[in-house]
Coordinates of all heavy atoms in Angstrom, one line a residue:
M1 N 88.4 84.9 57.1 CA 87.9 85.2 58.4 C 88.6 86.5 58.9 O 89.8 86.6 59.0 CB 88.1 84.1 59.4 CG 87.5 84.3 60.7 SD 87.7 82.8 61.7 CE 86.6 83.2 63.0
A2 N 87.8 87.5 59.2 CA 88.4 88.8 59.7 C 88.9 88.7 61.1 O 88.2 88.1 62.0 CB 87.3 89.9 59.6
R3 N 90.0 89.2 61.4 CA 90.5 89.2 62.7 C 89.9 90.4 63.5 O 89.7 91.5 63.0 CB 92.0 89.5 62.7 CG 92.8 88.4 62.0 CD 94.3 88.6 62.1 NE 94.6 90.0 62.0 CZ 95.9 90.4 62.2 NH1 96.9 89.6 62.3 NH2 96.2 91.7 62.1
E4 N 89.5 90.1 64.8 CA 89.0 91.1 65.6 C 90.1 91.7 66.5 O 90.6 91.0 67.4 CB 87.9 90.5 66.5 CG 86.9 91.5 66.9 CD 85.7 90.9 67.7 OE1 85.3 89.7 67.4 OE2 85.1 91.5 68.6
L5 N 90.5 92.9 66.2 CA 91.6 93.5 67.0 C 91.1 94.5 68.0 O 90.0 95.0 67.9 CB 92.5 94.3 66.0 CG 93.1 93.5 64.9 CD1 93.9 94.5 64.0 CD2 94.1 92.5 65.4
F6 N 91.9 94.7 69.1 CA 91.5 95.6 70.1 C 92.8 96.4 70.5 O 93.9 95.9 70.4 CB 90.8 95.0 71.3 CG 91.7 94.1 72.1 CD1 92.2 94.6 73.3 CD2 91.9 92.8 71.7 CE1 93.0 93.7 74.1 CE2 92.7 91.9 72.5 CZ 93.2 92.4 73.7
L7 N 92.5 97.6 71.0 CA 93.6 98.4 71.5 C 93.5 98.5 73.0 O 92.4 98.6 73.6 CB 93.4 99.9 71.0 CG 94.4 100.9 71.3 CD1 95.8 100.5 70.7 CD2 94.0 102.2 70.8
K8 N 94.6 98.3 73.7 CA 94.6 98.1 75.2 C 95.8 98.9 75.8 O 96.9 98.8 75.3 CB 94.7 96.7 75.6 CG 94.9 96.4 77.0 CD 93.6 96.6 77.8 CE 93.8 96.2 79.2 NZ 92.8 96.8 80.0
N9 N 95.5 99.7 76.8 CA 96.6 100.4 77.5 C 97.1 99.3 78.6 O 96.5 99.2 79.6 CB 96.1 101.6 78.2 CG 97.2 102.3 79.0 OD1 98.4 101.9 79.0 ND2 96.9 103.4 79.6
Y10 N 98.2 98.7 78.3 CA 98.7 97.6 79.1 C 99.1 98.2 80.5 O 99.1 97.5 81.5 CB 99.9 97.0 78.5 CG 100.6 96.0 79.3 CD1 99.9 94.8 79.7 CD2 101.9 96.1 79.7 CE1 100.6 93.9 80.5 CE2 102.6 95.2 80.4 CZ 101.9 94.1 80.9 OH 102.5 93.2 81.7
M11 N 99.5 99.5 80.6 CA 99.8 100.1 81.9 C 98.7 100.0 82.9 O 98.9 99.8 84.1 CB 100.2 101.6 81.7 CG 100.7 102.2 82.9 SD 102.2 101.5 83.6 CE 103.4 102.2 82.4
E12 N 97.5 100.1 82.4 CA 96.3 99.9 83.3 C 96.3 98.6 84.0 O 96.1 98.5 85.2 CB 95.0 100.1 82.5 CG 93.8 100.2 83.4 CD 92.5 100.5 82.6 OE1 92.6 101.0 81.5 OE2 91.4 100.2 83.2
D13 N 96.6 97.5 83.3 CA 96.7 96.2 83.9 C 97.8 96.1 84.9 O 97.6 95.6 86.0 CB 96.9 95.1 82.8 CG 95.7 94.9 81.9 OD1 94.6 95.4 82.3 OD2 95.8 94.2 80.9
C14 N 98.9 96.7 84.6 CA 100.1 96.7 85.5 C 99.8 97.4 86.8 O 100.1 96.9 87.9 CB 101.3 97.4 84.8 SG 101.9 96.5 83.3
V15 N 99.1 98.6 86.7 CA 98.8 99.4 87.9 C 97.8 98.6 88.8 O 98.0 98.5 90.0 CB 98.2 100.8 87.5 CG1 97.6 101.5 88.7 CG2 99.3 101.6 86.9
W16 N 96.7 98.0 88.2 CA 95.8 97.3 88.9 C 96.4 96.1 89.6 O 96.1 95.7 90.7 CB 94.6 96.8 88.1 CG 93.6 97.8 87.8 CD1 93.3 98.4 86.7 CD2 92.6 98.3 88.8 NE1 92.2 99.3 86.8 CE2 91.8 99.3 88.1 CE3 92.4 98.1 90.1 CZ2 90.8 100.0 88.8 CZ3 91.4 98.8 90.8 CH2 90.6 99.7 90.1
E17 N 97.4 95.5 88.9 CA 98.1 94.3 89.4 C 98.9 94.6 90.7 O 99.0 93.8 91.6 CB 99.0 93.7 88.3 CG 99.4 92.3 88.6 CD 100.1 91.7 87.3 OE1 99.5 91.7 86.3 OE2 101.3 91.3 87.5
L18 N 99.5 95.8 90.7 CA 100.3 96.2 91.9 C 99.6 96.9 93.0 O 100.1 97.2 94.1 CB 101.5 97.0 91.4 CG 102.5 96.2 90.5 CD1 103.6 97.2 90.0 CD2 103.0 95.0 91.2
L19 N 98.3 97.3 92.7 CA 97.6 98.1 93.7 C 97.5 97.5 95.1 O 97.8 98.1 96.1 CB 96.2 98.4 93.2 CG 95.3 99.2 94.1 CD1 95.8 100.6 94.5 CD2 93.9 99.3 93.6
D20 N 97.1 96.2 95.2 CA 97.0 95.6 96.5 C 98.3 95.5 97.2 O 98.3 95.6 98.5 CB 96.4 94.2 96.3 CG 94.9 94.3 96.0 OD1 94.2 95.2 96.4 OD2 94.4 93.3 95.3
Q21 N 99.4 95.4 96.5 CA 100.7 95.4 97.2 C 101.0 96.7 97.8 O 101.5 96.8 99.0 CB 101.8 95.0 96.2 CG 101.7 93.6 95.7 CD 102.8 93.3 94.7 OE1 103.9 93.8 94.7 NE2 102.4 92.4 93.7
V22 N 100.7 97.8 97.2 CA 100.9 99.1 97.7 C 99.9 99.4 98.9 O 100.3 99.9 99.9 CB 100.7 100.2 96.6 CG1 100.7 101.6 97.2 CG2 101.8 100.1 95.6
L23 N 98.7 99.0 98.7 CA 97.7 99.2 99.8 C 98.1 98.4 101.1 O 97.9 98.8 102.2 CB 96.3 98.7 99.4 CG 95.6 99.7 98.4 CD1 94.3 99.1 97.9 CD2 95.3 101.0 99.1
A24 N 98.7 97.2 100.9 CA 99.2 96.4 102.0 C 100.2 97.1 102.9 O 100.3 96.8 104.0 CB 99.7 95.0 101.5
Q25 N 100.9 98.1 102.3 CA 101.9 98.8 103.0 C 101.3 99.9 103.9 O 102.0 100.4 104.8 CB 102.9 99.5 102.0 CG 103.6 98.5 101.1 CD 104.4 97.5 101.9 OE1 105.2 97.8 102.8 NE2 104.3 96.2 101.5
D26 N 100.0 100.1 103.8 CA 99.4 101.2 104.6 C 98.1 100.6 105.1 O 97.0 100.7 104.5 CB 99.1 102.4 103.7 CG 98.6 103.6 104.5 OD1 98.2 103.4 105.6 OD2 98.7 104.7 104.0
P27 N 98.1 100.1 106.3 CA 96.9 99.5 106.9 C 95.7 100.5 107.1 O 94.6 100.1 107.1 CB 97.3 99.0 108.2 CG 98.8 98.9 108.2 CD 99.2 99.9 107.2
Q28 N 96.0 101.8 107.2 CA 94.9 102.7 107.4 C 94.3 103.2 106.0 O 93.3 104.0 106.1 CB 95.4 103.9 108.1 CG 95.2 103.8 109.6 CD 96.5 103.7 110.4 OE1 97.3 104.6 110.3 NE2 96.7 102.6 111.1
A29 N 94.8 102.8 104.9 CA 94.3 103.2 103.6 C 92.9 102.6 103.4 O 92.7 101.4 103.7 CB 95.2 102.8 102.5
C30 N 92.0 103.4 102.9 CA 90.7 102.9 102.5 C 90.8 102.0 101.3 O 91.5 102.3 100.4 CB 89.7 104.1 102.3 SG 88.1 103.6 101.8
R31 N 90.0 101.0 101.3 CA 90.1 100.0 100.2 C 88.7 99.9 99.5 O 88.5 99.0 98.8 CB 90.5 98.6 100.8 CG 92.0 98.6 101.1 CD 92.3 97.5 102.1 NE 93.7 97.4 102.3 CZ 94.5 98.2 103.0 NH1 93.9 99.2 103.6 NH2 95.8 98.0 103.2
C32 N 87.9 100.9 99.7 CA 86.6 100.9 99.0 C 86.8 101.1 97.5 O 87.8 101.5 97.1 CB 85.6 102.0 99.6 SG 86.0 103.6 99.0
D33 N 85.8 100.7 96.7 CA 85.9 100.7 95.3 C 86.2 102.2 94.8 O 87.0 102.4 93.9 CB 84.6 100.2 94.6 CG 84.6 98.7 94.6 OD1 85.6 98.0 94.8 OD2 83.5 98.2 94.3
S34 N 85.5 103.1 95.4 CA 85.8 104.5 95.0 C 87.2 104.9 95.2 O 87.8 105.5 94.3 CB 84.8 105.4 95.8 OG 85.0 106.8 95.4
C35 N 87.8 104.7 96.4 CA 89.2 105.0 96.6 C 90.1 104.3 95.7 O 91.1 104.8 95.2 CB 89.5 104.8 98.1 SG 88.7 106.1 99.2
R36 N 89.9 103.0 95.6 CA 90.7 102.2 94.7 C 90.8 102.7 93.3 O 91.8 102.9 92.7 CB 90.3 100.7 94.7 CG 90.5 100.0 96.0 CD 89.8 98.6 96.0 NE 90.5 97.7 95.1 CZ 91.5 97.0 95.3 NH1 92.1 97.0 96.5 NH2 92.0 96.2 94.4
H37 N 89.6 103.1 92.7 CA 89.6 103.6 91.4 C 90.2 105.0 91.3 O 90.9 105.3 90.3 CB 88.1 103.7 90.9 CG 87.6 102.4 90.4 ND1 87.1 101.4 91.2 CD2 87.5 101.9 89.1 CE1 86.8 100.4 90.5 NE2 87.0 100.7 89.2
D38 N 90.0 105.8 92.4 CA 90.7 107.1 92.4 C 92.2 107.0 92.4 O 92.9 107.7 91.7 CB 90.2 108.0 93.6 CG 88.9 108.5 93.4 OD1 88.3 108.5 92.3 OD2 88.3 109.0 94.4
I39 N 92.7 106.1 93.2 CA 94.2 105.8 93.3 C 94.7 105.4 91.9 O 95.7 105.9 91.5 CB 94.5 104.8 94.4 CG1 94.2 105.3 95.8 CG2 95.9 104.3 94.3 CD1 94.1 104.3 96.9
V40 N 94.0 104.5 91.3 CA 94.5 104.0 90.0 C 94.4 105.1 89.0 O 95.4 105.2 88.2 CB 93.7 102.7 89.6 CG1 93.9 102.4 88.1 CG2 94.0 101.5 90.4
A41 N 93.4 105.9 88.9 CA 93.3 107.0 88.0 C 94.4 108.0 88.1 O 95.0 108.4 87.2 CB 91.9 107.6 88.1
L42 N 94.6 108.4 89.4 CA 95.7 109.3 89.6 C 97.1 108.8 89.2 O 97.9 109.5 88.7 CB 95.7 109.7 91.1 CG 94.6 110.6 91.6 CD1 94.6 110.7 93.1 CD2 94.8 112.0 91.0
A43 N 97.3 107.5 89.6 CA 98.6 106.9 89.2 C 98.7 106.8 87.7 O 99.8 107.1 87.1 CB 98.7 105.5 89.8
L44 N 97.7 106.4 87.0 CA 97.8 106.3 85.5 C 98.1 107.6 84.9 O 98.7 107.7 83.8 CB 96.5 105.7 85.0 CG 96.4 104.2 85.1 CD1 95.0 103.7 84.8 CD2 97.4 103.4 84.3
N45 N 97.6 108.7 85.5 CA 97.8 110.0 84.9 C 99.3 110.4 85.1 O 99.7 111.4 84.4 CB 96.9 111.1 85.6 CG 95.5 111.0 85.0 OD1 95.3 110.6 83.9 ND2 94.5 111.3 85.8
Q46 N 100.0 109.8 85.9 CA 101.4 110.1 86.1 C 102.4 109.2 85.4 O 103.6 109.4 85.3 CB 101.8 110.0 87.6 CG 101.0 110.9 88.5 CD 101.2 112.4 88.1 OE1 102.3 112.8 87.8 NE2 100.1 113.1 87.9
L47 N 101.8 108.1 84.8 CA 102.6 107.1 84.1 C 102.4 107.2 82.5 O 101.3 107.5 82.1 CB 102.2 105.7 84.5 CG 102.6 105.4 86.0 CD1 101.8 104.2 86.5 CD2 104.0 105.2 86.2
P48 N 103.4 106.9 81.8 CA 103.2 106.9 80.3 C 102.3 105.7 79.9 O 102.5 104.6 80.5 CB 104.6 106.7 79.8 CG 105.4 106.0 80.9 CD 104.8 106.5 82.2
P49 N 101.5 105.9 78.9 CA 100.6 104.8 78.5 C 101.5 103.8 77.7 O 102.5 104.1 77.2 CB 99.6 105.4 77.5 CG 100.3 106.7 77.1 CD 101.2 107.1 78.2
R50 N 101.1 102.5 77.7 CA 101.8 101.4 77.0 C 100.7 100.7 76.2 O 100.2 99.7 76.7 CB 102.4 100.5 78.0 CG 103.5 101.1 78.8 CD 104.8 101.2 77.9 NE 105.9 101.7 78.8 CZ 106.5 102.9 78.6 NH1 106.1 103.7 77.6 NH2 107.5 103.3 79.4
Y51 N 100.4 101.2 75.0 CA 99.3 100.6 74.2 C 99.8 99.4 73.5 O 100.9 99.4 72.9 CB 98.7 101.7 73.3 CG 97.8 102.6 74.0 CD1 98.3 103.9 74.3 CD2 96.5 102.3 74.4 CE1 97.5 104.8 75.0 CE2 95.7 103.2 75.0 CZ 96.2 104.4 75.4 OH 95.4 105.3 76.0
V52 N 99.0 98.4 73.4 CA 99.3 97.3 72.6 C 98.0 97.0 71.7 O 96.9 97.3 72.1 CB 99.6 96.0 73.4 CG1 100.9 96.2 74.2 CG2 98.5 95.7 74.4
V53 N 98.3 96.4 70.5 CA 97.2 96.0 69.7 C 97.2 94.5 69.6 O 98.3 93.9 69.3 CB 97.3 96.6 68.2 CG1 96.2 96.0 67.3 CG2 97.3 98.1 68.3
R54 N 96.2 93.8 69.9 CA 96.1 92.4 69.9 C 94.8 91.9 69.3 O 93.8 92.6 69.2 CB 96.2 91.8 71.3 CG 97.5 92.1 72.0 CD 98.6 91.3 71.4 NE 99.8 91.6 72.1 CZ 100.9 92.1 71.5 NH1 100.9 92.4 70.2 NH2 102.0 92.3 72.2
E55 N 94.9 90.6 68.9 CA 93.7 90.0 68.4 C 92.9 89.6 69.7 O 93.4 89.2 70.7 CB 94.0 88.7 67.7 CG 94.5 88.9 66.3 CD 94.7 87.7 65.5 OE1 93.8 86.8 65.5 OE2 95.8 87.5 64.9
K56 N 91.6 89.7 69.6 CA 90.7 89.3 70.7 C 91.0 87.9 71.1 O 91.1 87.0 70.3 CB 89.2 89.5 70.3 CG 88.3 89.5 71.4 CD 87.0 90.1 71.0 CE 86.2 90.4 72.3 NZ 85.4 91.6 72.2
G57 N 91.2 87.7 72.4 CA 91.4 86.4 73.0 C 92.9 86.0 73.1 O 93.2 85.0 73.7
V58 N 93.8 86.9 72.5 CA 95.2 86.5 72.5 C 95.8 87.1 73.8 O 95.6 88.3 74.2 CB 95.9 87.2 71.3 CG1 97.4 87.0 71.4 CG2 95.4 86.5 70.0
I59 N 96.6 86.3 74.5 CA 97.3 86.8 75.7 C 98.6 87.5 75.3 O 99.3 86.9 74.5 CB 97.6 85.6 76.7 CG1 96.3 84.9 77.1 CG2 98.4 86.0 77.9 CD1 96.4 83.7 77.9
Y60 N 98.8 88.6 75.9 CA 100.0 89.4 75.5 C 101.1 89.2 76.6 O 100.8 88.9 77.8 CB 99.8 90.8 75.2 CG 98.9 91.5 76.2 CD1 99.5 92.1 77.4 CD2 97.5 91.6 76.1 CE1 98.7 92.8 78.3 CE2 96.7 92.2 77.0 CZ 97.3 92.8 78.1 OH 96.5 93.5 79.0
S61 N 102.3 89.4 76.3 CA 103.4 89.2 77.2 C 103.4 90.2 78.3 O 103.1 91.4 78.1 CB 104.7 89.2 76.4 OG 105.8 89.2 77.3
K62 N 103.9 89.8 79.5 CA 104.0 90.7 80.6 C 105.5 90.9 80.9 O 105.8 91.2 82.1 CB 103.3 90.1 81.8 CG 101.8 90.1 81.7 CD 101.1 89.7 83.0 CE 99.6 89.8 82.8 NZ 98.9 89.6 84.0
L63 N 106.3 90.9 79.9 CA 107.7 91.1 80.2 C 108.1 92.4 80.8 O 108.9 92.5 81.6 CB 108.5 90.9 78.9 CG 108.5 89.5 78.3 CD1 109.3 89.5 76.9 CD2 109.2 88.6 79.2
A64 N 107.3 93.5 80.4 CA 107.6 94.8 80.9 C 107.4 94.9 82.4 O 108.1 95.6 83.1 CB 106.8 95.9 80.2
M65 N 106.5 94.1 83.0 CA 106.3 94.1 84.4 C 107.5 93.5 85.2 O 107.6 93.7 86.4 CB 105.1 93.2 84.8 CG 103.8 94.0 84.6 SD 103.6 95.4 85.7 CE 103.5 94.6 87.3
L66 N 108.3 92.8 84.5 CA 109.5 92.2 85.2 C 110.7 93.2 85.3 O 111.6 93.0 86.1 CB 110.0 91.0 84.4 CG 108.9 89.9 84.2 CD1 109.5 88.7 83.4 CD2 108.5 89.4 85.6
E67 N 110.6 94.3 84.5 CA 111.7 95.2 84.6 C 111.6 96.0 85.9 O 110.6 96.6 86.3 CB 111.6 96.2 83.5 CG 111.8 95.6 82.1 CD 111.6 96.6 81.0 OE1 111.9 97.8 81.2 OE2 111.1 96.2 80.0
A68 N 112.7 96.0 86.7 CA 112.7 96.7 88.0 C 112.4 98.1 87.9 O 111.6 98.6 88.8 CB 114.1 96.5 88.6
Q69 N 112.9 98.9 87.0 CA 112.6 100.3 86.9 C 111.1 100.5 86.6 O 110.5 101.4 87.1 CB 113.4 101.0 85.8 CG 113.3 102.5 85.8 CD 113.6 103.2 87.2 OE1 114.7 102.9 87.7 NE2 112.7 103.9 87.7
H70 N 110.5 99.7 85.7 CA 109.1 99.8 85.4 C 108.3 99.6 86.6 O 107.4 100.4 86.9 CB 108.8 98.8 84.3 CG 107.5 98.8 83.7 ND1 107.1 99.8 82.8 CD2 106.4 98.0 83.9 CE1 105.8 99.6 82.5 NE2 105.4 98.5 83.1
R71 N 108.5 98.6 87.4 CA 107.8 98.3 88.6 C 108.0 99.5 89.6 O 107.0 99.9 90.3 CB 108.2 97.0 89.2 CG 107.8 95.8 88.4 CD 108.3 94.5 89.0 NE 107.7 94.2 90.3 CZ 106.5 93.6 90.5 NH1 105.9 93.1 89.4 NH2 106.0 93.3 91.7
A72 N 109.2 100.0 89.7 CA 109.5 101.0 90.7 C 108.7 102.3 90.3 O 108.1 103.0 91.2 CB 110.9 101.4 90.7
D73 N 108.6 102.6 89.0 CA 107.8 103.8 88.6 C 106.3 103.6 88.9 O 105.7 104.6 89.4 CB 107.9 104.0 87.1 CG 109.3 104.4 86.6 OD1 110.1 104.8 87.5 OD2 109.6 104.3 85.4
I74 N 105.8 102.4 88.8 CA 104.4 102.1 89.1 C 104.2 102.2 90.6 O 103.2 102.9 91.1 CB 103.9 100.8 88.6 CG1 104.0 100.8 87.0 CG2 102.5 100.4 89.0 CD1 103.8 99.4 86.4
Y75 N 105.1 101.6 91.4 CA 104.9 101.7 92.9 C 105.0 103.2 93.3 O 104.2 103.6 94.2 CB 106.1 101.0 93.5 CG 105.8 99.5 93.8 CD1 106.3 98.5 93.0 CD2 105.1 99.2 94.9 CE1 106.0 97.2 93.2 CE2 104.8 97.8 95.2 CZ 105.3 96.9 94.3 OH 105.0 95.5 94.6
R76 N 105.9 104.0 92.8 CA 106.0 105.4 93.1 C 104.7 106.1 92.8 O 104.2 106.9 93.6 CB 107.2 106.0 92.5 CG 107.4 107.5 92.9 CD 108.6 108.2 92.2 NE 108.4 108.3 90.8 CZ 109.1 107.6 89.9 NH1 110.1 106.8 90.3 NH2 108.9 107.7 88.6
A77 N 104.2 105.9 91.6 CA 102.9 106.6 91.2 C 101.8 106.2 92.1 O 100.9 107.0 92.5 CB 102.6 106.3 89.7
L78 N 101.7 104.9 92.4 CA 100.6 104.4 93.2 C 100.7 105.0 94.6 O 99.7 105.3 95.3 CB 100.6 102.9 93.2 CG 99.9 102.2 92.1 CD1 100.2 100.7 92.1 CD2 98.4 102.4 92.1
T79 N 101.9 105.0 95.2 CA 102.1 105.5 96.5 C 101.7 107.0 96.6 O 101.1 107.4 97.6 CB 103.6 105.3 97.0 OG1 103.9 103.9 96.9 CG2 103.8 105.8 98.4
Q80 N 102.2 107.8 95.6 CA 101.8 109.2 95.6 C 100.3 109.4 95.5 O 99.7 110.2 96.2 CB 102.5 109.9 94.5 CG 104.0 110.0 94.7 CD 104.7 110.5 93.4 OE1 104.2 110.6 92.3 NE2 106.0 110.9 93.6
A81 N 99.7 108.6 94.7 CA 98.2 108.6 94.5 C 97.5 108.2 95.8 O 96.5 108.9 96.2 CB 97.8 107.7 93.3
L82 N 98.0 107.2 96.5 CA 97.4 106.8 97.7 C 97.4 107.9 98.7 O 96.5 108.2 99.5 CB 98.1 105.5 98.2 CG 97.8 105.1 99.6 CD1 96.3 104.7 99.7 CD2 98.7 103.9 100.0
M83 N 98.6 108.6 98.8 CA 98.7 109.7 99.8 C 97.7 110.8 99.5 O 97.1 111.4 100.4 CB 100.1 110.3 99.8 CG 101.2 109.3 100.3 SD 100.8 108.8 102.0 CE 100.6 107.0 101.7
K84 N 97.5 111.1 98.2 CA 96.5 112.2 97.8 C 95.1 111.8 98.2 O 94.3 112.5 98.7 CB 96.6 112.4 96.3 CG 97.7 113.3 95.9 CD 97.7 113.5 94.4 CE 98.9 114.3 94.0 NZ 98.9 114.6 92.5
V85 N 94.7 110.5 97.9 CA 93.4 110.0 98.2 C 93.1 109.9 99.7 O 92.1 110.3 100.2 CB 93.1 108.7 97.5 CG1 91.8 108.0 97.9 CG2 93.1 108.8 96.0
K86 N 94.2 109.6 100.5 CA 94.0 109.5 101.9 C 93.7 110.9 102.5 O 92.9 111.0 103.4 CB 95.3 108.9 102.6 CG 95.3 107.4 102.7 CD 96.6 107.0 103.4 CE 96.6 107.3 104.8 NZ 97.7 106.7 105.6
K87 N 94.3 111.9 101.9 CA 94.2 113.3 102.4 C 92.8 113.8 102.1 O 92.2 114.6 102.9 CB 95.2 114.2 101.9 CG 96.6 114.0 102.5 CD 97.6 115.0 101.8 CE 99.0 114.7 102.4 NZ 100.0 115.5 101.7
A88 N 92.2 113.4 101.0 CA 90.9 113.9 100.6 C 90.1 112.9 99.8 O 89.9 112.9 98.6 CB 91.1 115.1 99.6
P89 N 89.6 111.8 100.6 CA 88.8 110.8 100.0 C 87.5 111.4 99.5 O 86.9 112.3 100.1 CB 88.6 109.8 101.1 CG 88.8 110.5 102.3 CD 89.8 111.6 102.0
R90 N 87.0 110.8 98.4 CA 85.7 111.4 97.8 C 84.5 110.5 98.2 O 83.4 110.9 97.8 CB 85.9 111.4 96.3 CG 86.9 112.4 95.8 CD 87.0 112.6 94.3 NE 86.8 111.4 93.6 CZ 86.1 111.2 92.5 NH1 85.4 112.2 92.0 NH2 86.1 110.1 91.8
H91 N 84.7 109.4 98.9 CA 83.6 108.6 99.3 C 82.9 109.2 100.5 O 83.5 110.0 101.2 CB 84.1 107.2 99.5 CG 85.0 107.1 100.7 ND1 86.4 107.1 100.5 CD2 84.8 107.0 102.0 CE1 86.9 107.0 101.7 NE2 86.0 106.9 102.7
E92 N 81.7 108.7 100.8 CA 81.0 109.1 102.0 C 81.2 108.1 103.1 O 81.1 106.9 102.8 CB 79.5 109.3 101.7 CG 79.3 110.5 100.8 CD 77.8 110.7 100.6 OE1 77.0 110.4 101.6 OE2 77.4 111.2 99.6
R93 N 81.5 108.5 104.2 CA 81.7 107.5 105.4 C 80.5 107.6 106.2 O 79.8 108.4 106.4 CB 82.9 107.9 106.1 CG 84.1 107.6 105.3 CD 85.3 107.5 106.2 NE 86.3 106.9 105.3 CZ 87.3 106.2 105.8 NH1 87.5 106.0 107.0 NH2 88.2 105.7 105.0

């Protein structure tokens, strides 16, 4: 039976996981889908990718998310991205 493998940038999951915590710190931040995606895209462009190869359906470890420096880097990138999006949101109001 052939294994079905996939390639995943784990950093993307980490950024999405922390996004709401960063948004909670700024009540005036827009939370529409467009702004959320722009914030995540900008943050990911500032962070190193963390690719993993896994078999389809296999859950991978989230140990890296527990490292304080790793989390701090993601928070910083998300906060900077949030400030950029707040200054020039691309959605229509």
Side-chain angles (χ1 to χ4, degrees):
M1 183 175 194
R3 297 183 325 176
E4 204 174 330
L5 299 176
F6 69 98
L7 184 64
K8 173 74 176 159
N9 180 3
Y10 176 61
M11 185 63 75
E12 187 175 342
D13 289 348
C14 297
V15 170
W16 279 111
E17 196 169 305
L18 295 178
L19 176 62
D20 286 331
Q21 292 176 35
V22 172
L23 286 172
Q25 301 300 314
D26 189 342
Q28 267 114 59
C30 180
R31 286 158 174 75
C32 77
D33 283 344
S34 179
C35 286
R36 291 172 65 86
H37 279 82
D38 284 346
I39 292 165
V40 168
L42 286 168
L44 284 169
N45 284 331
Q46 299 304 312
L47 295 163
R50 297 282 185 243
Y51 286 99
V52 294
V53 177
R54 295 289 180 242
E55 286 185 46
K56 197 162 192 143
V58 174
I59 298 173
Y60 48 89
S61 172
K62 292 190 175 187
L63 292 177
M65 277 297 291
L66 301 177
E67 295 176 35
Q69 186 60 53
H70 186 73
R71 290 178 67 87
D73 292 343
I74 296 170
Y75 270 99
R76 184 179 63 248
L78 279 168
T79 301
Q80 291 171 348
L82 171 61
M83 295 301 116
K84 284 183 182 179
V85 171
K86 272 183 71 172
K87 286 181 184 175
R90 296 185 318 136
H91 65 264
E92 291 185 30
R93 290 198 168 206

